[in-house]
Amino acid sequence: MRLRGPILALAVCVLLASCSTAGASGSGGGAPRAGGTLTFTTDIEPDVFDPHVSPADITGVIMRNVLDSLVAEDRDGSFKPWLATSWKISPDGRSYTFRLREDVTFTDGTPFDAAAVKANLDRVVAPATKSRYAAVLIGPYQSAEVADPHTVTVRLKRPYAPFLHALSTTYLGIYSPKALREHAADLAAGGPQNVGSGPFLLASRVKGQQAVFTRNPAYDWAPGTARHRGPAYLDKLVIGFLPENATRVGAVGSGQSDVADFLPAGQVRSLAGRPGLRVLSHESPGLVYSYYLNTERPPFDRREARLAVRAAIDTALITKAVFAGQYRPAWSPLSPSTPAYDATVENTWPYRPGEADRLLDGLGWTGRDTDGYRTKDGKRFAITLLYVPAYTKAERRTYDTAVQDALRKVGVQLTLKPLDGAAYTPIRDRGDYDIIAFAWGGSEPDLLRTVFHSASRLADGGANGARVHDPEIDAWLDRAAATTDRAARADLYAKVQRKVIAEGYSVPAFVASRQLAVRDRARDVGFDTSAWPLFYDAWVTGR
Amino acid sequence: MLRFAARRALAGVAVLWAAATLAFAALHLLPGDVADAVLGPNSGAPPQVRAQIRQDYGLDDPLPAQYLRHMAALATGDLGRSYQFGLPVSRVLADQVGPTAELAVSAAVLSVGLAFCAALATGGRGGAASAIAGGIGLLALSVPSYWLGILGLAVFSFRFGLLPAAGADGPQALVLPAITLALPLAGVLAQVIRQQLHAIGDAPFVLTARARGAGERRLLARHTLRHAGLPVVTLSGWITGALMGGAVLTETVFARPGLGRVLVTAVGSRDIPVVSALMLVSAAAFVVVNLLVDLAYLVIDPRLRASGAVT
């Protein structure tokens, strides 16, 4: 059914285009005005609304409206005050002292103070919370000490440069301590019990349908990165969950929704040309969709085998075809919009099928069986890519199939093996695969440590899918995490990217963009550094 | 009659027990670890979190102990806690039963109504009208409801703005999903009814009635319709299943809250407590439907009452 989606969506598009809705809604520019409702529709609904527990992007996006953070990350990777007005990092990089705002109140009337910060951080790391991401995000957290009601010192077990970034995410957003005390078990459900100090309150939630937010009229502590001060403009924000692409696109096309999230790449062009609609695009930072080659066992324990497979895949052509020219091919494991992205690796590993053949011949895979696949000592060059269909978008599966086809041309048999989540994890954890593929959003180049540090094993909560054990990379990543000197960090991360490319540990595939269809009446829907939509500055014309 | 009811109730309980046991067995015998299912494939959870999960859910206990605990809890009405949502299953399902029931009942009424209308309009006559009706019926039953839903949306919601595209607010939001779910079903039922009407056209009792001078209308109302209705009643179990299966797609297309969507995500993430609760709910629905079917036979077919076949 998932595969039929795009075709049907296309059919609906053609239908709609031929009907040609007339008249552009909305007016000219003008100053933001308060009032009105904005409806935003996205594809997946969070299982768990508590970002301290859930690793889901959507949970982070949604709860950003309710939960504020201590600091805010700017586009350039610098940090601006938010609930903390200033902070000091000790010379050894192991303690962070935050001076907190004194005028902040949670929407249940509880004042925000140092004890609230401590209660939140302690909750994240408590085993009973069963945090699936936030706890990893502040890995070396040791303790928080309340110095005075508005000063808190966080101690770390070791220097950890990504700490401010971690604090800036919704995953470490600050709940009212009263909500944590009285409703800890209910926060997963998402509702008025999820109390923060944010610009909106989570007024209600209908599972399988929508979440409704109302303005926090007392809000006066916007982050330094926001465009305005004071309460949000919108009276009401409705976030609807429409899993079917065709329905979501149709809803925004007909004005039943003001903004549609995650446009299928194939429909961006037709939507962008429609009156009353525009398409916003923001390249997602973080780790691009990459194929991680298992370096711990044959055939990818040999560098030549990895480089051969990489040279055989025309990522530029496949990316263009699968995403209708909307996404770019990737050259580095990091997305270009991530701080410390190294542009020097661009175009350094072009598509060269001849090179692939040469390398494979050199490895002794010179025979051919009746199906045309390469053989050595009577054994076929056959590899497997594991994936979980429920967590793999149709477009990615199309991409994987194109890669399979490209490899067949050089005599390599790639099998795409679907598994359910529970069956996948143990196989993945013990490294019983040749390739796994994934992308990971986020604006922190330390993500490279998650995928290439030898200590980031999959079984331990890391994501070292290529099972890389490279002392040089480990040393660079450790040093980068231990220094707060941004230039030095950028230099170290550039080294990591270059080595990953030189060794062929992964095959970066494409750089995804978050694309929104926005009706004219919806204004100033922003993006944060992770390319997640922000609603604090958003406003609507009319109604 | 009382003994009949008691026996049926006992059988119902046995069915429910079997359903719960099957759900438990199926999900525990699949390869892989429940803790991984709880965590999901894309999480970066350290081993302590996994250990905490195993402890909280009693996953380290032997399987028979887990089974007994699960059954004992079910017996007291405790459906357990969802792995995926981190909430009591009863809370996960509470808001979803209503919308699904609403959709299923309206689609059932609609499809049976449509089927009888279509069959009656053309059933008695042969020739062109009958052929056309048959063709439409065939089309309705072979069109995927998914496609029907998208088409309905494109025309009535996106083009003319008559009906909302998504959600479950008010009766307007029910129109498209109910039609989407009902049409293919109505197609099947209409075919069945038409064939039955056709088959009994030459039955002796029909001839007798005709010979006594009964008109076509009286014949339908008093005699043939009852017979034509029997297979529909017999198909009730199938209809219930089709409604439940169809609800999954319909709820997804129209973003309606409902059990169908919950079931899909629960199976995908191996959320055992939710899956077994849903199996119980559907088993209970089948038990009730079958009970009603047996009662309906008694009403429709007087011969059964006389022979006491179901006591």
Side-chain angles (χ1 to χ4, degrees), chain A residues 249-326:
Chain A
V249 167
V252 77
S254 60
Q256 296 179 54
S257 158
D258 299 311
V259 186
D261 198 3
F262 291 117
L263 297 183
Q267 290 183 52
V268 168
R269 197 160 295 160
S270 69
L271 276 170
R274 302 266 302 280
L277 268 187
R278 63 192 189 285
V279 171
L280 294 183
S281 186
H282 194 302
E283 212 159 69
S284 306
L287 298 167
V288 301
Y289 186 70
S290 293
Y291 296 96
Y292 293 90
L293 311 179
N294 185 351
T295 58
E296 265 183 354
R297 67 176 203 179
F300 293 133
D301 54 346
R302 297 288 300 268
R303 176 170 175 266
E304 295 82 1
R306 303 194 294 266
L307 297 186
V309 160
R310 188 178 73 188
I313 303 171
D314 190 349
T315 51
L317 185 74
I318 300 175
T319 302
K320 197 171 168 206
V322 173
F323 299 107
Q326 294 295 320

Coordinates of all heavy atoms in Angstrom, one line a residue, chain A residues 249-326:
Chain A
V249 N -1.5 16.8 1.1 CA -1.3 17.7 0.0 C -2.7 18.3 -0.4 O -2.8 19.5 -0.6 CB -0.6 17.0 -1.1 CG1 -0.7 17.9 -2.4 CG2 0.8 16.7 -0.8
G250 N -3.7 17.4 -0.5 CA -5.0 17.9 -0.8 C -5.6 18.9 0.2 O -6.2 19.9 -0.2
A251 N -5.3 18.6 1.5 CA -5.9 19.5 2.5 C -5.3 20.9 2.4 O -6.0 21.9 2.6 CB -5.6 18.9 3.9
V252 N -4.0 21.0 2.1 CA -3.4 22.3 2.0 C -3.8 23.0 0.7 O -4.0 24.2 0.6 CB -1.8 22.3 2.2 CG1 -1.1 21.8 1.0 CG2 -1.3 23.7 2.6
G253 N -3.9 22.2 -0.3 CA -4.3 22.7 -1.6 C -5.7 23.3 -1.6 O -6.0 24.3 -2.3
S254 N -6.6 22.7 -0.7 CA -8.0 23.2 -0.7 C -8.2 24.2 0.5 O -9.3 24.6 0.7 CB -8.9 22.0 -0.6 OG -8.6 21.3 0.6
G255 N -7.1 24.5 1.2 CA -7.3 25.5 2.3 C -7.8 24.9 3.6 O -8.1 25.7 4.5
Q256 N -7.9 23.6 3.7 CA -8.4 23.0 4.9 C -7.2 23.0 5.9 O -7.4 22.8 7.1 CB -8.9 21.6 4.7 CG -10.2 21.6 3.9 CD -10.7 20.2 3.6 OE1 -10.9 19.5 4.6 NE2 -10.9 19.9 2.4
S257 N -6.0 23.2 5.4 CA -4.9 23.2 6.3 C -4.0 24.4 5.8 O -4.0 24.7 4.6 CB -4.1 21.9 6.2 OG -2.8 22.1 6.6
D258 N -3.4 25.1 6.7 CA -2.6 26.3 6.3 C -1.2 25.9 5.8 O -0.5 26.5 5.0 CB -2.5 27.3 7.4 CG -3.8 27.8 7.8 OD1 -4.6 28.2 6.9 OD2 -4.2 27.8 9.0
V259 N -0.6 24.9 6.5 CA 0.7 24.4 6.2 C 0.7 22.9 6.1 O 0.2 22.3 7.0 CB 1.7 24.9 7.3 CG1 3.1 24.5 6.9 CG2 1.6 26.4 7.6
A260 N 1.4 22.3 5.1 CA 1.5 20.9 5.0 C 3.0 20.6 5.1 O 3.8 21.2 4.4 CB 0.9 20.3 3.8
D261 N 3.4 19.7 6.0 CA 4.8 19.3 6.3 C 5.1 18.1 5.3 O 4.3 17.4 4.8 CB 4.8 18.8 7.7 CG 6.2 18.8 8.3 OD1 7.1 19.2 7.6 OD2 6.4 18.4 9.5
F262 N 6.4 17.9 5.2 CA 6.9 16.7 4.4 C 6.2 16.5 3.1 O 5.6 15.5 2.9 CB 6.8 15.5 5.3 CG 7.7 15.4 6.5 CD1 7.2 15.4 7.8 CD2 9.1 15.5 6.3 CE1 8.0 15.4 8.8 CE2 9.9 15.5 7.4 CZ 9.4 15.5 8.7
L263 N 6.4 17.5 2.2 CA 5.9 17.3 0.9 C 6.6 16.2 0.2 O 7.8 16.1 0.3 CB 6.0 18.6 0.1 CG 5.3 19.8 0.6 CD1 5.6 21.0 -0.4 CD2 3.8 19.5 0.7
P264 N 5.9 15.3 -0.5 CA 6.6 14.3 -1.3 C 7.4 15.1 -2.4 O 6.8 16.0 -3.0 CB 5.5 13.5 -2.0 CG 4.3 13.9 -1.2 CD 4.5 15.2 -0.6
A265 N 8.7 14.8 -2.6 CA 9.5 15.6 -3.5 C 8.9 15.7 -4.9 O 9.0 16.7 -5.6 CB 10.9 15.0 -3.6
G266 N 8.2 14.6 -5.3 CA 7.7 14.6 -6.7 C 6.6 15.6 -6.9 O 6.2 15.9 -8.0
Q267 N 6.0 16.2 -5.8 CA 4.9 17.1 -5.9 C 5.2 18.5 -5.7 O 4.4 19.4 -5.8 CB 3.8 16.7 -5.0 CG 3.2 15.4 -5.4 CD 2.0 15.0 -4.5 OE1 1.1 15.8 -4.3 NE2 2.0 13.8 -4.0
V268 N 6.5 18.8 -5.3 CA 6.9 20.1 -4.9 C 6.7 21.1 -6.1 O 6.1 22.2 -5.9 CB 8.4 20.1 -4.5 CG1 8.9 21.6 -4.3 CG2 8.5 19.4 -3.1
R269 N 7.1 20.7 -7.3 CA 7.0 21.6 -8.4 C 5.6 22.0 -8.7 O 5.3 23.1 -8.9 CB 7.7 21.0 -9.6 CG 8.0 22.0 -10.7 CD 9.1 21.5 -11.6 NE 10.4 21.3 -11.0 CZ 11.4 20.6 -11.5 NH1 11.2 19.9 -12.6 NH2 12.5 20.4 -10.8
S270 N 4.7 21.0 -8.8 CA 3.3 21.3 -9.1 C 2.7 22.2 -8.0 O 1.8 23.0 -8.3 CB 2.5 20.0 -9.3 OG 2.4 19.3 -8.1
L271 N 3.0 21.9 -6.8 CA 2.4 22.7 -5.7 C 2.9 24.1 -5.7 O 2.2 25.1 -5.5 CB 2.7 22.1 -4.3 CG 1.8 21.0 -3.9 CD1 2.4 20.3 -2.7 CD2 0.4 21.5 -3.6
A272 N 4.2 24.3 -6.0 CA 4.8 25.6 -5.9 C 4.2 26.6 -6.9 O 4.2 27.8 -6.7 CB 6.3 25.5 -6.2
G273 N 3.6 26.0 -8.0 CA 3.1 26.8 -9.1 C 1.6 27.2 -8.8 O 1.0 28.0 -9.6
R274 N 1.0 26.7 -7.7 CA -0.4 26.9 -7.5 C -0.6 28.3 -6.9 O 0.1 28.7 -6.0 CB -0.9 25.9 -6.5 CG -0.8 24.4 -7.0 CD -2.0 23.9 -7.8 NE -3.1 24.0 -6.9 CZ -3.4 23.1 -6.0 NH1 -2.6 22.1 -5.8 NH2 -4.5 23.2 -5.3
P275 N -1.7 29.0 -7.3 CA -2.0 30.3 -6.7 C -2.3 30.1 -5.3 O -3.0 29.2 -4.9 CB -3.1 30.8 -7.5 CG -3.7 29.7 -8.2 CD -2.6 28.7 -8.4
G276 N -1.9 31.1 -4.4 CA -2.3 31.0 -3.0 C -1.4 30.1 -2.2 O -1.6 30.0 -1.0
L277 N -0.4 29.5 -2.8 CA 0.5 28.5 -2.1 C 1.9 28.9 -2.4 O 2.2 29.3 -3.5 CB 0.2 27.1 -2.7 CG -0.8 26.2 -2.0 CD1 -0.6 24.8 -2.6 CD2 -0.5 26.1 -0.5
R278 N 2.8 28.6 -1.4 CA 4.2 28.7 -1.8 C 4.9 27.5 -1.0 O 4.3 27.0 -0.1 CB 4.8 30.0 -1.4 CG 4.7 30.4 0.1 CD 5.1 31.8 0.3 NE 5.2 32.1 1.7 CZ 4.2 32.3 2.6 NH1 3.0 32.1 2.1 NH2 4.5 32.5 3.8
V279 N 6.0 27.2 -1.5 CA 6.8 26.1 -0.9 C 8.0 26.6 -0.2 O 8.8 27.3 -0.8 CB 7.1 25.0 -2.0 CG1 8.1 24.0 -1.4 CG2 5.9 24.4 -2.5
L280 N 8.1 26.3 1.1 CA 9.3 26.6 1.8 C 10.2 25.4 1.9 O 9.7 24.3 2.2 CB 9.0 27.1 3.3 CG 8.2 28.3 3.5 CD1 8.0 28.6 5.0 CD2 8.9 29.5 2.8
S281 N 11.5 25.6 1.7 CA 12.4 24.5 1.7 C 13.6 24.8 2.6 O 14.1 25.9 2.6 CB 12.9 24.2 0.3 OG 13.7 23.1 0.2
H282 N 14.0 23.9 3.4 CA 15.1 24.1 4.3 C 15.9 22.8 4.4 O 15.4 21.8 4.8 CB 14.6 24.5 5.7 CG 15.6 25.0 6.6 ND1 16.8 24.3 6.9 CD2 15.7 26.2 7.2 CE1 17.5 25.1 7.7 NE2 16.9 26.2 7.9
E283 N 17.1 22.9 4.0 CA 17.9 21.7 4.0 C 18.2 21.2 5.4 O 18.6 22.0 6.2 CB 19.3 22.0 3.3 CG 19.8 20.8 2.5 CD 20.8 21.2 1.5 OE1 21.9 21.7 1.8 OE2 20.5 21.1 0.3
S284 N 18.0 19.9 5.6 CA 18.1 19.4 7.0 C 19.5 19.2 7.4 O 20.3 18.5 6.6 CB 17.4 18.0 7.1 OG 16.0 18.2 6.7
P285 N 20.0 19.7 8.5 CA 21.3 19.5 9.0 C 21.4 18.1 9.6 O 20.4 17.5 9.9 CB 21.6 20.6 10.0 CG 20.2 20.9 10.5 CD 19.2 20.6 9.4
G286 N 22.6 17.7 9.9 CA 22.9 16.4 10.6 C 23.5 15.4 9.7 O 24.3 15.8 8.7
L287 N 23.3 14.2 9.9 CA 23.9 13.1 9.1 C 23.0 12.9 7.9 O 21.8 12.6 8.1 CB 24.0 11.8 9.9 CG 25.0 12.0 11.1 CD1 24.8 10.7 12.1 CD2 26.4 12.1 10.7
V288 N 23.5 12.9 6.7 CA 22.7 12.6 5.5 C 22.3 11.1 5.5 O 22.9 10.3 6.2 CB 23.4 13.0 4.2 CG1 23.8 14.5 4.3 CG2 24.7 12.2 4.1
Y289 N 21.4 10.8 4.6 CA 21.1 9.4 4.4 C 22.3 8.7 3.8 O 22.8 9.1 2.7 CB 19.9 9.2 3.5 CG 19.4 7.8 3.3 CD1 18.8 7.1 4.3 CD2 19.6 7.1 2.1 CE1 18.3 5.8 4.2 CE2 19.1 5.8 1.9 CZ 18.5 5.2 3.0 OH 18.0 3.9 2.8
S290 N 22.9 7.8 4.5 CA 24.2 7.1 4.1 C 24.0 5.6 4.2 O 23.3 5.1 5.1 CB 25.3 7.6 5.0 OG 25.6 8.9 4.8
Y291 N 24.8 4.9 3.4 CA 24.9 3.5 3.5 C 26.2 3.2 4.3 O 27.3 3.6 3.9 CB 25.0 2.8 2.1 CG 23.8 3.0 1.3 CD1 23.7 4.1 0.4 CD2 22.7 2.2 1.5 CE1 22.5 4.3 -0.3 CE2 21.5 2.4 0.8 CZ 21.4 3.5 -0.1 OH 20.2 3.7 -0.8
Y292 N 26.0 2.6 5.5 CA 27.1 2.3 6.3 C 27.6 0.8 6.0 O 26.8 -0.1 6.2 CB 26.7 2.5 7.8 CG 26.5 3.9 8.1 CD1 25.2 4.5 8.0 CD2 27.5 4.8 8.5 CE1 25.0 5.8 8.2 CE2 27.3 6.1 8.7 CZ 26.0 6.6 8.6 OH 25.8 8.0 8.8
L293 N 28.9 0.7 5.6 CA 29.4 -0.6 5.2 C 30.1 -1.2 6.4 O 31.0 -0.6 7.0 CB 30.4 -0.4 4.0 CG 29.9 0.5 2.9 CD1 30.9 0.7 1.8 CD2 28.6 0.0 2.3
N294 N 29.7 -2.4 6.7 CA 30.2 -3.1 7.9 C 31.7 -3.5 7.7 O 32.0 -4.5 7.0 CB 29.4 -4.4 8.1 CG 29.8 -5.1 9.4 OD1 30.8 -4.7 10.0 ND2 29.0 -6.1 9.8
T295 N 32.6 -2.7 8.3 CA 34.0 -2.9 8.1 C 34.6 -4.1 8.9 O 35.8 -4.3 8.9 CB 34.8 -1.6 8.5 OG1 34.5 -1.4 9.9 CG2 34.3 -0.5 7.6
E296 N 33.8 -4.8 9.7 CA 34.3 -5.8 10.6 C 34.3 -7.2 9.9 O 34.8 -8.1 10.6 CB 33.4 -5.9 11.8 CG 34.1 -5.1 13.0 CD 33.3 -5.2 14.2 OE1 32.2 -5.8 14.2 OE2 33.7 -4.7 15.2
R297 N 33.7 -7.3 8.8 CA 33.7 -8.6 8.2 C 33.8 -8.5 6.6 O 33.5 -7.5 6.1 CB 32.5 -9.4 8.6 CG 31.2 -8.8 8.1 CD 30.0 -9.7 8.5 NE 28.9 -9.6 7.6 CZ 27.8 -10.2 7.7 NH1 27.6 -11.2 8.6 NH2 26.8 -10.0 6.9
P298 N 34.2 -9.6 5.9 CA 34.2 -9.5 4.5 C 32.8 -9.3 3.9 O 31.8 -9.7 4.5 CB 34.7 -10.9 4.1 CG 35.2 -11.6 5.3 CD 34.5 -10.9 6.5
P299 N 32.7 -8.6 2.8 CA 33.8 -8.1 2.0 C 34.3 -6.7 2.4 O 35.3 -6.3 1.9 CB 33.2 -8.1 0.6 CG 31.7 -7.8 0.8 CD 31.4 -8.5 2.1
F300 N 33.5 -6.1 3.2 CA 33.8 -4.6 3.5 C 34.9 -4.4 4.5 O 35.1 -3.3 5.0 CB 32.6 -3.8 3.8 CG 31.6 -3.8 2.6 CD1 30.2 -4.0 2.8 CD2 32.1 -3.4 1.4 CE1 29.4 -3.9 1.7 CE2 31.2 -3.4 0.3 CZ 29.8 -3.6 0.5
D301 N 35.6 -5.5 5.0 CA 36.8 -5.3 5.8 C 37.9 -4.8 4.9 O 38.9 -4.4 5.4 CB 37.1 -6.6 6.6 CG 37.3 -7.8 5.7 OD1 36.9 -7.7 4.5 OD2 37.8 -8.8 6.1
R302 N 37.7 -5.0 3.6 CA 38.8 -4.5 2.6 C 38.4 -3.1 2.1 O 37.3 -2.9 1.6 CB 38.9 -5.5 1.4 CG 39.4 -6.8 1.8 CD 40.9 -6.8 2.2 NE 41.8 -6.4 1.1 CZ 42.3 -7.2 0.3 NH1 42.1 -8.5 0.3 NH2 43.1 -6.7 -0.7
R303 N 39.3 -2.2 2.2 CA 39.0 -0.8 1.8 C 38.6 -0.8 0.3 O 37.7 -0.1 -0.1 CB 40.2 0.1 2.0 CG 40.2 1.5 1.5 CD 41.3 2.3 2.0 NE 41.3 3.7 1.4 CZ 42.0 4.0 0.3 NH1 42.8 3.1 -0.3 NH2 42.0 5.2 -0.1
E304 N 39.3 -1.6 -0.5 CA 39.1 -1.6 -2.0 C 37.6 -2.0 -2.3 O 37.0 -1.5 -3.2 CB 40.0 -2.6 -2.7 CG 41.5 -2.2 -2.7 CD 42.1 -2.6 -1.4 OE1 41.5 -3.2 -0.5 OE2 43.3 -2.3 -1.2
A305 N 37.1 -3.0 -1.5 CA 35.7 -3.4 -1.7 C 34.7 -2.2 -1.4 O 33.8 -2.0 -2.1 CB 35.4 -4.6 -0.8
R306 N 35.0 -1.5 -0.4 CA 34.2 -0.4 0.0 C 34.2 0.7 -1.1 O 33.2 1.2 -1.6 CB 34.6 0.2 1.3 CG 34.6 -0.8 2.5 CD 34.7 -0.1 3.8 NE 35.9 0.6 4.1 CZ 37.0 0.1 4.7 NH1 37.0 -1.2 5.1 NH2 38.1 0.8 4.9
L307 N 35.4 1.0 -1.5 CA 35.6 2.1 -2.6 C 34.9 1.6 -3.9 O 34.4 2.4 -4.6 CB 37.0 2.4 -2.8 CG 37.7 3.0 -1.6 CD1 39.2 3.5 -1.9 CD2 37.0 4.2 -1.0
A308 N 35.0 0.3 -4.2 CA 34.5 -0.2 -5.4 C 33.0 0.0 -5.4 O 32.4 0.5 -6.4 CB 34.8 -1.7 -5.6
V309 N 32.3 -0.4 -4.3 CA 30.9 -0.3 -4.3 C 30.5 1.2 -4.4 O 29.5 1.5 -5.1 CB 30.4 -0.9 -2.9 CG1 29.0 -0.4 -2.6 CG2 30.4 -2.4 -3.1
R310 N 31.2 2.0 -3.7 CA 30.9 3.5 -3.8 C 31.0 4.0 -5.2 O 30.2 4.8 -5.6 CB 31.8 4.2 -2.8 CG 31.4 5.7 -2.7 CD 32.3 6.4 -1.7 NE 33.6 6.7 -2.2 CZ 34.6 7.2 -1.5 NH1 34.5 7.4 -0.2 NH2 35.8 7.4 -2.1
A311 N 32.1 3.6 -5.9 CA 32.3 4.1 -7.2 C 31.3 3.6 -8.2 O 31.1 4.2 -9.3 CB 33.7 3.7 -7.7
A312 N 30.6 2.5 -7.8 CA 29.6 1.9 -8.8 C 28.2 2.6 -8.7 O 27.4 2.3 -9.5 CB 29.5 0.4 -8.5
I313 N 28.1 3.4 -7.6 CA 26.7 4.0 -7.4 C 26.7 5.5 -7.9 O 27.5 6.3 -7.3 CB 26.4 4.0 -5.9 CG1 26.4 2.5 -5.4 CG2 25.0 4.5 -5.7 CD1 26.3 2.4 -3.9
D314 N 25.9 5.8 -8.8 CA 25.8 7.1 -9.3 C 24.8 7.9 -8.5 O 23.6 8.1 -8.8 CB 25.3 7.1 -10.8 CG 25.5 8.5 -11.4 OD1 25.7 9.5 -10.7 OD2 25.3 8.6 -12.7
T315 N 25.2 8.4 -7.3 CA 24.3 9.0 -6.4 C 23.7 10.3 -7.0 O 22.5 10.6 -6.7 CB 25.0 9.4 -5.1 OG1 26.2 10.1 -5.3 CG2 25.4 8.2 -4.3
A316 N 24.4 11.0 -7.8 CA 23.9 12.2 -8.4 C 22.7 11.9 -9.3 O 21.6 12.5 -9.1 CB 25.0 12.9 -9.3
L317 N 22.8 10.9 -10.1 CA 21.7 10.5 -11.0 C 20.5 10.0 -10.2 O 19.4 10.3 -10.4 CB 22.2 9.5 -12.0 CG 21.2 9.1 -13.1 CD1 21.0 10.3 -14.1 CD2 21.6 7.8 -13.8
I318 N 20.8 9.1 -9.3 CA 19.7 8.4 -8.5 C 19.0 9.5 -7.7 O 17.7 9.5 -7.6 CB 20.3 7.3 -7.6 CG1 20.9 6.2 -8.4 CG2 19.1 6.7 -6.8 CD1 21.6 5.1 -7.6
T319 N 19.7 10.4 -7.1 CA 19.1 11.4 -6.2 C 18.2 12.3 -7.1 O 17.0 12.6 -6.7 CB 20.2 12.3 -5.6 OG1 21.0 11.5 -4.8 CG2 19.5 13.4 -4.7
K320 N 18.6 12.6 -8.3 CA 17.8 13.5 -9.1 C 16.6 12.8 -9.6 O 15.5 13.3 -9.6 CB 18.7 13.8 -10.4 CG 18.1 15.0 -11.1 CD 19.1 15.4 -12.2 CE 18.3 16.4 -13.1 NZ 18.9 16.4 -14.5
A321 N 16.7 11.5 -9.9 CA 15.5 10.7 -10.4 C 14.5 10.5 -9.3 O 13.3 10.7 -9.4 CB 16.0 9.4 -11.0
V322 N 15.0 10.0 -8.1 CA 14.1 9.6 -7.0 C 13.4 10.9 -6.4 O 12.2 10.8 -6.1 CB 14.8 8.9 -5.9 CG1 13.9 8.6 -4.7 CG2 15.4 7.5 -6.5
F323 N 14.1 12.0 -6.3 CA 13.5 13.1 -5.7 C 13.1 14.3 -6.6 O 13.0 15.4 -6.2 CB 14.4 13.6 -4.5 CG 14.6 12.6 -3.5 CD1 15.8 11.9 -3.4 CD2 13.6 12.3 -2.6 CE1 16.0 10.9 -2.4 CE2 13.8 11.3 -1.6 CZ 15.0 10.6 -1.5
A324 N 13.0 13.9 -7.9 CA 12.5 14.9 -8.9 C 13.3 16.2 -8.9 O 12.8 17.3 -9.0 CB 11.0 15.2 -8.7
G325 N 14.6 16.0 -8.7 CA 15.5 17.2 -8.7 C 15.4 18.1 -7.5 O 16.0 19.2 -7.4
Q326 N 14.6 17.7 -6.4 CA 14.5 18.5 -5.3 C 15.6 18.4 -4.2 O 15.8 19.3 -3.5 CB 13.1 18.2 -4.6 CG 11.9 18.5 -5.4 CD 11.8 20.0 -5.7 OE1 12.0 20.8 -4.8 NE2 11.4 20.4 -6.9

